[in-house]
């Protein structure tokens, strides 16, 4: 071996000799034996010897880590005669001493990345052997699995599967699928990367099966089986719930679930593929409401169409179907009902009298379950009982509804309830001739009854109402039977314990205390608890508790359901404690429970009152918000109007400046103006209009004074009310603020009117100046100034028009503000009404709070009295008041010490 390794180190340039050396090392280390005609014993002995030799030679080779690093560099060579034997040798080393070789490759620089290049080799032989090498490399090593995944392995492997023809491909597809399983199984990081990379969508074409499904090759069956297992790896119940849920949703949205359901309902599919498809669909829909709803809507291609669930249940209760297939259907039904209250309700509704199809044309799920429950095949009894128990799991409403189910036993006899019929079959025991295990039927029925009665007092009352049930259970528990019957005894003890623990004492003859006395007399408490412990100590119980899927080696081992094992863990301890409790302790507990319930009711009522008050406050806040928004809108309109007035004033000032310049220019030249007849007429008209506007201005001022007096009265009344009701009426300040803002708006209007009166007086002054100029004008200069007077006349006319439009706009704005004042006065009246209402409401709420405080004080006194009673009886009670007062006392003492210091 040393010489061969020396050749690999020194003769790198000679690819032929390197290839021979690698082949020789492979033959030395490999366990692949040539087929020789030998006896079985000789073959076994030789295989063991070769195993030992191969592992010994591997240890010698990898003792020097440089040898593995050298081999990695040789695998990088493109020459076929070097690369191929190098890949085979490295694969053989990994088979012999996997963990050690993995560690060496992991620590070598770019070791895993160099091996990933094999998948991109154009020569299929090297590529296929590269897949086998990566299979060995990724076994049970999460670190290498992550590196391989992030080196784009998923993309390359899925490309190879597609190139090879998906499920119709050869053994290369099988090898790629095995490698994908290595990368994904129990590796949450890689599963998340696979989902995020949208590789789930690329799995859908794998399951496209044609109509002609006869004559599948063995390789296709193997490939499809591995593909289904790969889907299950992604949605396994052992994965984190969040990861499983996201994969389930992705499978629904890309159509993968729909494709699997097509295979499920197709004809001619081999039995083992059908079984694995049922298991796969089960885990894809488990706990996912969207997928469960879709599965409920799937119909089988029959005439008339039947729901897929009904078709599957027909297979489950059919004893001629293979055992593995029946287990798969049961698992599918359990997954469909897992955390699916809607589906549970649909199944139970098919049993209720109002929904049963009277025509009998279609068979429902409920009828199939009842048929299986009461058939002569013990396996069908067990499967139907467990399926029905899952329909009631954690659903108290359906447990009560199932009590309404009536069964017609025979013609002429009255109908019997489903609960009564179950107990009847249970009590008959071995009298009915059944196929299969004798114990299996009774175990199934007892599991159904325990699930049904747990956490449902009404069902317990119905069960105890039959006088034969309690004597039967006590008789079964008290007998000394063989090992097979011990399991039944344990389940009978559990059922009796549930009847005590969830008993509401509504039946006088079967109160908790009387049932405990019965156990003490007939069985003995220690004996009862011992029999109860038989369940969890059973070997089959431990197996069923490991995983949700029912997987049994034979029908005889089919005893426990996974969900039932959870129920046993939950109830075993509490039932044991309940058996040893005395009647006085039970009474005290009940009293304390009742008192706490009353206290809870009072607190609930108080919370309701507070909630209603909160709602009223929210409504008032909304009203205030609407009033504030209205106020803001009004302010915006006022500011807009102010800006418009300012613009008009600026325009007027510009015109006035221009007129001043013109008059100065004419005076400097000693020119005077001739005012003709038309100009005097215009001036007289202006005077008349000015008089009219003065009158209007005086009227508006009078109206404003009246409004001012009204608003002042309202303000004084508001202030008087505010001093008395400040604490309870803070939500109504918005109305007063609104009135103050209206006052500000009125002040602004007054200032605007004063400005307008000033402008009017200025116009009068200018008019007087024009008259003076007319009187002092020289008639001799009339001819020379005619042109200039005409220009001035045109300007005056334009200015008069603009002033008229401004005055008109201002009058419209005044009218609008008058309307705002009217609306504000009405809102003030409304606010006063609302204030009086709120005062009354606050007085009522104070009265209610005082009543509630009185009630709470009474309740506190009762609770303290009960605590004192409990202390007198020797029950340890934590006194919160004492501890709080003690803490306060310590704090006071500390404070005193500090003061002394």
């Amino acid at each position: 071996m040393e010489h061969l390794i020396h050749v690999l180190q020194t003769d790198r340039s000679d690819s032929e000799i390197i290839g021979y050396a690698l082949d020789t090392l492979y033959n030395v280390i490999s366990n692949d034996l040539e087929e020789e005609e030998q006896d079985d014993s000789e073959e076994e002995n030789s295989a063991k010897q070769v195993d030992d030799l191969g592992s010994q030679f591997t240890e010698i080779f990898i003792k020097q880590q440089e040898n593995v690093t050298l081999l990695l560099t040789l695998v990088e060579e493109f020459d076929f005669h070097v690369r191929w034997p190098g890949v085979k040798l490295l694969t053989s080393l990994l088979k012999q001493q996997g963990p050690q070789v993995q560690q060496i490759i992991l620590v070598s620089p770019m070791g895993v990345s160099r091996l990933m290049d094999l998948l991109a080799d154009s020569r299929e032989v090297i590529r296929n052997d590269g897949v086998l090498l990566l299979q060995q490399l990724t076994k049970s090593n999460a670190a290498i699995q992550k590196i391989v995944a992030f080196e784009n392995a998923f993309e390359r492997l899925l490309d190879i599967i597609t190139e090879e023809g998906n499920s119709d491909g050869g053994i290369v597809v099988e090898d790629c699928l095995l490698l994908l399983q290595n990368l994904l199984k129990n590796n949450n990081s890689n599963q998340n990367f696979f989902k995020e990379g949208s590789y789930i969508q690329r799995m859908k074409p794998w399951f496209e099966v044609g109509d002609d499904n006869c004559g599948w090759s063995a390789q296709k069956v193997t490939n499809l089986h591995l593909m289904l297992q790969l889907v299950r790896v992604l949605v396994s119940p052992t994965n984190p719930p969040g990861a499983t849920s996201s994969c389930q949703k992705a499978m629904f949205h890309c159509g993968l679930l729909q494709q699997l359901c097509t295979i499920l309902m197709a004809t001619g599919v081999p039995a083992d593929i059908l079984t694995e498809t049922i298991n796969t669909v089960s885990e894809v829909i488990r706990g996912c409401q969207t997928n469960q709803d879709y599965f409920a809507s799937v119909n089988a291609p029959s005439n008339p169409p039947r729901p897929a669930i009904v078709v599957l249940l027909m297979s489950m209760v059919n004893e001629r179907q293979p055992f593995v297939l029946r287990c798969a259907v049961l698992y599918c039904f359990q997954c469909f009902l897992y955390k699916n209250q809607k589906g549970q309700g649909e199944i139970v509704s098919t049993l209720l009298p109002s929904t049963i199809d009277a025509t009998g044309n279609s068979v429902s799920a409920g009828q199939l379950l009842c048929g299986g429950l009461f058939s002569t095949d013990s396996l069908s009894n067990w499967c139907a009982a467990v399926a029905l128990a899952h329909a009631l799991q954690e659903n108290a409403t359906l447990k009560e509804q199932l009590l309404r189910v009536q069964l017609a036993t025979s013609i002429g006899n009255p109908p019997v309830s489903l609960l009564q019929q179950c107990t009847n079959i249970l009590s008959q025991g071995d009298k009915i001739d059944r196929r299969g295990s004798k114990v299996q039927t009774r175990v199934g029925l007892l599991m159904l009854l325990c699930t049904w009665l747990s956490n449902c007092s009404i069902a317990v009352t119905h069960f105890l109402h039959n006088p034969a049930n309690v004597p039967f259970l006590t008789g079964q528990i008290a007998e000394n039977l063989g090992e097979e019957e011990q399991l039944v005894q344990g389940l009978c003890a559990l059922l009796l314990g549930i009847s005590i623990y969830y008993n509401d004492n509504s039946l006088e003859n079967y109160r908790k205390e009387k049932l405990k006395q019965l156990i003490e007399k007939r069985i003995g408490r220690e004996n009862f608890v011992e029999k109860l412990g038989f369940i969890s100590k059973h070997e089959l119980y431990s197996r069923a508790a490991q995983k949700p899927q029912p997987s049994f080696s034979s029908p005889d081992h089919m005893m426990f359901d996974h969900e039932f094992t959870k129920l046993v863990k939950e109830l075993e301890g509490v039932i044991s404690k309940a058996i040893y409790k005395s009647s006085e302790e039970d009474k005290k507990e009940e009293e304390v429970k009742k008192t706490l319930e009353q206290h809870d009711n009072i607190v609930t009522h108080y919370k309701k009152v507070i909630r209603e008050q909160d709602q009223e406050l929210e409504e008032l806040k909304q009203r205030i918000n609407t009033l504030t928004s209205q106020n803001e809108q009004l302010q915006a309109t006022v500011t807009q109007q102010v800006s418009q007035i300012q613009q008009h004033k600026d325009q007027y000032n510009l015109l006035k400046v221009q007129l001043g310049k013109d008059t100065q220019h004419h005076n400097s030249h000693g020119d005077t103006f001739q005012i003709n007849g038309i100009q005097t007429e215009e001036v007289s008209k202006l005077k008349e209009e000015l008089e009219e506007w003065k009158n209007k201005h005086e009227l508006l001022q009078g109206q404003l004074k009246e409004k001012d007096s009204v608003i002042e009265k309202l303000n004084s009344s508001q202030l008087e009310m505010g001093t008395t009701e400040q604490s309870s009426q803070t939500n109504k300040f918005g109305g007063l603020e609104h009135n103050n803002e209206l006052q500000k708006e009125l002040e602004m209007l007054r200032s605007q009117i004063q400005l307008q009166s000033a402008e009017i007086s200025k116009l009068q002054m200018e008019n007087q100046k024009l008259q003076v100029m007319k009187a002092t004008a020289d008639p001799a200069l009339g001819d020379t100034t005619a042109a200039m007077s005409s220009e001035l006349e045109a300007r005056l006319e334009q200015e008069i028009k603009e002033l008229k439009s401004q005055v008109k706009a201002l009058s419209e704005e005044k009218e609008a503000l008058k309307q705002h004042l009217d609306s504000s006065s009405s809102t003030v009246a409304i606010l006063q009404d609302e204030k009086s209402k709120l005062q009354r409401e606050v007085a009522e709420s104070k009265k209610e709070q005082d009543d509630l405080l009185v009630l709470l004080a009474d309740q506190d006194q009762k609770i303290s009295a009960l605590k004192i009673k409990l202390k007198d009886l020797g029950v340890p009670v934590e006194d919160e008041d004492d501890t709080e007062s003690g803490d306060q006392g310590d704090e006071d003492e500390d404070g005193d010490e500090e003061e002394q210091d």
Side-chain angles (χ1 to χ4, degrees):
M1 187 174 282
E2 289 178 6
H3 293 299
L4 290 169
I5 293 168
H6 184 68
V7 169
L8 296 178
Q9 291 169 343
T10 55
D11 294 336
R12 293 285 296 277
S13 57
D14 190 346
S15 60
E16 190 175 3
I17 193 70
I18 292 287
Y20 286 140
L22 290 170
D23 274 332
T24 308
L25 285 169
Y26 170 71
N27 290 332
V28 166
I29 290 169
S30 174
N31 288 338
D32 297 337
L33 294 172
E34 294 182 3
E35 293 182 0
E36 297 177 2
E37 292 182 359
Q38 294 177 334
D39 296 332
D40 292 342
S41 59
E42 291 179 4
E43 284 179 3
E44 288 176 7
N45 292 332
S46 61
K48 284 180 184 177
Q49 289 172 4
V50 171
D51 279 344
D52 294 340
L53 282 172
S55 60
Q56 287 172 18
F57 287 137
T58 304
E59 283 181 15
I60 295 167
F61 185 82
I62 66 172
K63 194 173 286 183
Q64 299 294 327
Q65 292 190 8
E66 295 81 11
N67 295 340
V68 180
T69 310
L70 175 63
L71 189 54
L72 287 171
T73 56
L74 291 172
V75 167
E76 278 190 292
E77 295 287 336
F78 187 73
D79 193 330
F80 181 81
H81 296 291
V82 176
R83 197 171 207 181
W84 188 40
V87 169
K88 290 197 295 181
L89 175 58
L90 194 53
T91 307
S92 186
L93 290 172
L94 284 162
K95 283 181 181 176
Q96 295 292 342
Q97 297 288 340
Q100 292 89 333
V101 180
Q102 283 174 341
Q103 199 58 35
I104 295 167
I105 293 172
L106 194 58
V107 297
S108 65
M110 299 293 289
V112 178
S113 302
R114 285 188 277 187
L115 296 177
M116 284 300 300
D117 294 337
L118 297 171
L119 294 181
D121 200 306
S122 56
R123 295 159 293 192
E124 288 191 5
V125 177
I126 292 178
R127 184 199 69 185
N128 298 345
D129 280 352
V131 173
L132 295 173
L133 168 60
L134 289 171
Q135 268 184 37
Q136 297 298 325
L137 181 65
T138 54
K139 272 185 180 177
S140 307
N141 194 311
I144 293 177
Q145 289 167 3
K146 288 179 184 177
I147 296 169
V148 171
F150 283 97
E151 288 284 346
N152 209 19
F154 293 139
E155 185 77 34
R156 294 183 188 181
L157 291 169
L158 291 170
D159 286 341
I160 294 170
I161 291 170
T162 307
E163 288 168 14
E164 294 291 326
N166 293 329
S167 60
D168 293 318
I171 197 167
V172 179
V173 173
E174 180 184 344
D175 293 335
C176 289
L177 291 167
L178 288 169
L179 176 53
L180 282 170
Q181 274 193 23
N182 281 358
L183 295 174
L184 292 171
K185 197 167 188 178
N186 300 323
N187 193 317
N188 300 328
S189 171
N190 281 3
Q191 288 174 9
N192 189 49
F193 181 62
F194 190 84
K195 179 184 71 70
E196 296 295 335
S198 300
Y199 295 120
I200 289 176
Q201 287 82 334
R202 295 188 61 179
M203 297 168 77
K204 185 191 171 187
W206 296 355
F207 305 104
E208 290 175 357
V209 177
D211 296 331
D212 186 17
N213 294 319
C214 56
W216 284 21
S217 65
Q219 187 62 53
K220 181 172 181 175
V221 171
T222 305
N223 290 346
L224 206 53
H225 203 274
L226 288 169
M227 288 169 175
L228 291 165
Q229 283 182 350
L230 196 62
V231 175
R232 291 184 67 185
V233 164
L234 293 169
V235 292
S236 171
T238 57
N239 293 345
T244 301
S245 176
S246 57
C247 287
Q248 287 172 331
K249 288 173 184 173
M251 287 174 184
F252 174 76
H253 290 304
C254 75
L256 180 59
L257 174 60
Q258 293 84 329
Q259 206 66 49
L260 291 171
C261 289
T262 306
I263 297 175
L264 201 66
M265 295 292 110
T267 54
V269 178
D272 52 347
I273 292 296
L274 183 61
T275 303
E276 191 63 23
T277 305
I278 294 169
N279 286 327
T280 308
V281 169
S282 307
E283 293 183 353
V284 173
I285 67 172
R286 188 176 190 270
C288 180
Q289 189 66 53
T290 310
N291 295 4
Q292 288 167 338
D293 291 344
Y294 170 75
F295 184 68
S297 67
V298 175
N299 286 322
S302 59
N303 192 15
R306 284 178 176 166
I309 297 169
V310 172
V311 175
L312 290 172
L313 287 176
M314 290 170 76
S315 301
M316 185 184 79
V317 297
N318 185 355
E319 55 187 297
R320 290 191 294 274
Q321 293 290 346
F323 171 66
V324 183
L325 179 65
R326 295 173 77 180
C327 288
V329 173
L330 176 62
Y331 184 45
C332 185
F333 192 71
Q334 290 174 354
C335 291
F336 170 67
L337 297 177
Y338 183 71
K339 292 184 179 178
N340 181 13
Q341 291 196 350
K342 182 183 173 185
Q344 287 177 322
E346 288 170 356
I347 297 297
V348 171
S349 67
T350 59
L351 283 164
L352 299 178
S354 58
T355 56
I356 294 174
D357 187 6
T359 58
N361 293 332
S362 60
V363 181
S364 68
Q367 289 170 329
L368 287 168
L369 289 175
C370 280
L373 198 61
F374 307 127
S375 73
T376 54
D377 176 35
S378 61
L379 190 59
S380 296
N381 300 154
W382 190 91
C383 290
V386 169
L388 202 53
H390 275 262
L392 304 174
Q393 201 80 39
E394 297 178 2
N395 199 324
T397 309
L398 295 181
K399 289 176 183 178
E400 293 176 14
Q401 286 188 5
L402 203 65
L403 295 170
R404 294 166 44 204
V405 177
Q406 299 288 320
L407 303 172
T409 52
S410 58
I411 300 169
N413 291 333
V416 179
S417 70
L418 177 62
L419 184 67
Q420 182 64 46
Q421 186 65 11
C422 289
T423 55
N424 289 345
I425 294 170
L426 194 61
S427 60
Q428 288 171 0
D430 298 334
K431 294 175 185 176
I432 300 172
D433 186 21
R434 298 182 187 279
R435 291 178 294 279
S437 170
K438 294 178 181 179
V439 182
Q440 200 168 41
T441 300
R442 284 183 287 164
V443 169
L445 288 168
L446 284 166
M447 284 197 297
L448 171 59
L449 290 171
C450 288
T451 307
W452 193 347
L453 269 58
S454 66
N455 207 17
C456 183
S457 301
I458 299 171
V460 170
T461 306
H462 278 254
F463 178 76
L464 295 175
H465 194 69
N466 184 355
N469 288 339
V470 173
F472 166 73
L473 292 177
T474 52
Q476 287 285 314
I477 300 164
E479 287 182 17
N480 290 320
L481 303 170
E483 287 187 7
E484 273 193 1
E485 294 294 329
Q486 281 183 351
L487 190 55
V488 176
Q489 285 185 317
L491 289 168
C492 286
L494 180 66
L495 184 57
L496 187 56
I498 289 169
S499 302
I500 294 170
Y501 187 71
Y502 292 106
N503 193 341
D504 59 358
N505 294 329
S506 57
L507 293 175
E508 185 60 35
N509 293 333
Y510 294 106
R511 295 172 66 85
K512 284 185 180 182
E513 187 56 34
K514 290 189 176 181
L515 288 172
K516 288 180 189 177
Q517 289 172 2
L518 189 68
I519 289 171
E520 180 67 33
K521 289 177 183 177
R522 298 276 181 87
I523 305 162
R525 290 179 182 177
E526 291 78 8
N527 192 22
F528 178 86
V529 173
E530 184 187 352
K531 296 286 175 74
L532 185 62
F534 284 163
I535 304 172
S536 54
K537 291 174 184 174
H538 203 280
E539 182 188 356
L540 297 175
Y541 173 90
S542 305
R543 288 186 194 172
Q546 289 172 3
K547 57 180 181 177
Q549 185 183 357
S551 54
F552 306 100
S553 55
S554 69
D556 293 339
H557 292 162
M558 206 171 193
M559 287 293 171
F560 285 108
D561 170 56
H562 178 74
E563 291 296 324
F564 181 73
T565 60
K566 292 181 183 178
L567 183 69
V568 172
K569 282 180 188 175
E570 181 187 339
L571 293 178
E572 188 176 1
V574 293
I575 288 171
S576 299
K577 288 179 184 176
I579 293 298
Y580 284 103
K581 276 184 184 175
S582 65
S583 59
E584 292 179 358
E585 288 174 344
D586 285 337
K587 284 178 184 177
K588 287 173 188 175
E589 277 189 6
E590 286 177 7
E591 286 176 4
V592 171
K593 280 181 183 177
K594 285 178 182 177
T595 312
L596 290 172
E597 282 176 5
Q598 289 174 358
H599 184 265
D600 289 341
N601 291 335
I602 292 167
V603 172
T604 309
H605 175 67
Y606 185 63
K607 286 179 179 176
K608 187 180 178 183
V609 170
I610 292 170
R611 201 177 297 114
E612 288 173 356
Q613 290 177 350
D614 287 340
Q615 288 176 357
E616 289 175 3
L617 283 172
E618 284 297 325
E619 289 174 2
L620 290 171
K621 283 179 183 177
Q622 287 175 1
R623 285 184 192 172
I624 289 168
N625 290 332
T626 51
L627 288 170
T628 342
S629 61
Q630 288 175 4
N631 187 18
E632 288 173 357
Q633 288 175 2
L634 289 171
Q635 282 181 342
T637 53
V638 168
T639 48
Q640 188 178 359
Q641 289 170 357
V642 169
S643 64
Q644 287 176 359
I645 290 167
Q646 189 63 40
Q647 287 176 2
H648 292 317
K649 285 168 75 175
D650 294 341
Q651 290 173 2
Y652 174 73
N653 290 331
L654 283 170
L655 288 169
K656 199 164 67 174
V657 169
Q658 288 176 359
L659 278 170
K661 285 181 180 178
D662 291 340
T663 52
Q664 285 176 6
H665 177 69
H666 295 313
N667 289 333
S668 64
H669 286 82
D671 297 332
T672 55
F673 298 102
Q674 177 70 34
I675 308 298
N676 56 20
I678 299 170
Q679 289 170 335
T680 54
E681 288 174 4
E682 289 291 334
V683 170
S684 62
K685 283 181 182 177
L686 274 173
K687 284 181 180 179
E688 290 172 2
E689 286 180 359
L690 285 169
E691 289 295 327
E692 288 175 5
W693 282 114
K694 279 182 183 178
N695 295 331
K696 288 180 181 178
H697 174 65
E698 288 172 358
L699 285 170
L700 285 172
Q701 278 185 336
Q703 290 175 0
L704 285 171
K705 285 177 182 177
E706 291 175 1
K707 291 290 179 182
D708 284 342
S709 64
V710 171
I711 287 168
E712 283 173 0
K713 287 178 183 177
L714 286 170
N715 280 336
S716 62
S717 64
Q718 291 283 73
L719 288 169
E720 288 171 2
M721 290 176 70
T723 54
T724 56
E725 295 296 334
Q726 270 184 351
S727 60
S728 61
Q729 297 295 327
T730 53
N731 293 330
K732 292 301 177 179
F733 286 161
L736 292 173
E737 290 173 359
H738 188 60
N739 290 333
N740 293 331
E741 287 167 2
L742 286 172
Q743 278 188 329
K744 290 178 185 177
E745 290 172 7
L746 285 171
E747 291 296 332
M748 289 171 63
L749 280 173
R750 284 201 198 98
S751 61
Q752 289 171 12
I753 289 164
Q754 288 173 2
L755 289 170
Q756 287 175 357
S757 61
E759 288 170 4
I760 289 165
S761 61
K762 285 179 184 178
L763 284 170
Q764 287 176 347
M765 293 289 290
E766 287 176 1
N767 189 14
Q768 289 174 1
K769 285 179 183 179
L770 286 171
Q771 287 176 354
V772 170
M773 287 168 66
K774 179 181 177 184
T776 58
D778 189 1
L781 295 172
D783 296 330
T784 58
T785 59
M788 298 183 72
S789 64
S790 63
E791 290 177 3
L792 182 59
E793 184 182 354
R795 286 181 183 175
L796 282 169
E797 285 177 359
Q798 187 176 357
E799 287 176 2
I800 288 161
K801 286 179 182 178
E802 288 176 356
L803 285 169
K804 284 180 180 179
S805 63
Q806 289 173 12
V807 170
K808 188 179 179 182
L810 286 169
S811 64
E812 289 173 357
E813 288 170 2
K814 286 179 182 177
E815 288 295 324
L817 286 169
K818 280 170 71 180
Q819 291 176 1
H820 285 315
L821 281 170
D822 294 334
S823 64
S824 68
S825 61
S826 64
T827 52
V828 166
I830 291 166
L831 286 170
Q832 285 179 342
D833 294 336
E834 287 180 353
K835 279 186 179 181
S836 60
K837 286 180 185 176
L838 277 172
Q839 286 173 356
R840 290 195 296 271
E841 288 174 0
V842 166
E844 289 172 2
S845 65
K846 281 182 179 177
K847 188 179 177 183
E848 286 178 1
Q849 285 178 354
D850 293 335
D851 295 338
L852 288 170
L853 287 170
V854 170
L855 282 171
L856 284 171
D858 292 340
Q859 290 303 319
D860 287 335
Q861 288 176 0
K862 289 180 183 178
I863 288 167
S864 60
L866 284 169
K867 285 180 179 177
I868 291 164
K869 284 182 184 180
L870 288 171
K871 281 181 181 177
D872 295 336
L873 291 165
V875 179
V877 178
E878 186 176 355
D879 196 338
E880 294 178 358
D881 296 334
D882 292 344
T883 55
E884 287 176 3
S885 63
D887 293 340
Q888 288 174 358
D890 294 340
E891 288 174 4
D892 294 338
E893 288 174 7
D894 294 340
D896 295 337
E897 287 173 7
E898 286 175 4
E899 286 174 4
Q900 289 171 6
D901 294 334

